């Protein structure tokens, strides 16, 4: 699964694109297979520490991360966002 990862809950502005290779296995007592990430491969990432630059840099970092990964928005299967207290 190709996912866009964004975190702005700290002073760092972070955006990246990852490939989450799924591992299908059986859990004891469950009838259906369970999906869990087996491997995470970073395809592109950009991080800059400045608590006052989130608004200016986030969209740019998303675009650059996708470009580094040679992907477009339509290639994304998920968006993962770090939430929490922060700027």
């Amino acid at each position: 699964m190709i996912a866009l990862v964004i975190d702005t809950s700290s002073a760092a502005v972070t955006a990246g694109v990852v490939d989450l290779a799924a591992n299908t296995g059986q859990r004891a007592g469950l009838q259906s297979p369970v999906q869990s990430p087996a491997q995470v491969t970073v395809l592109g990432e950009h991080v800059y520490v400045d608590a006052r630059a989130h608004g200016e840099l986030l969209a740019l970092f998303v675009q650059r991360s996708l470009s580094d990964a040679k992907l477009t928005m339509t290639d994304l299967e998920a968006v993962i966002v770090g939430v929490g207290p922060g700027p």
Side-chain angles (χ1 to χ4, degrees), residues 23-62:
N23 179 25
T24 303
Q26 287 286 127
R27 280 194 191 163
L30 296 179
Q31 299 295 326
S32 62
V34 175
Q35 294 281 336
S36 63
Q39 181 178 351
V40 177
T41 303
V42 177
L43 304 175
E45 69 176 333
H46 289 270
V47 179
Y48 185 73
V49 179
D50 183 344
R52 298 170 295 171
H54 291 82
E56 296 83 10
L57 295 177
L58 188 58
L60 176 65
F61 283 5
V62 168

Side-chain angles (χ1 to χ4, degrees), residues 3-18 41-49 53-69 73 76 78-82:
L4 172 65
V5 181
I6 298 171
D7 188 7
T8 60
S9 63
S10 70
V13 183
T14 305
V17 177
V18 297
T41 303
V42 177
L43 304 175
E45 69 176 333
H46 289 270
V47 179
Y48 185 73
V49 179
H54 291 82
E56 296 83 10
L57 295 177
L58 188 58
L60 176 65
F61 283 5
V62 168
Q63 290 173 340
R64 286 184 178 174
S65 295
L66 283 165
S67 177
D68 291 349
M73 287 281 201
L76 296 175
V79 177
I80 301 169
V81 179

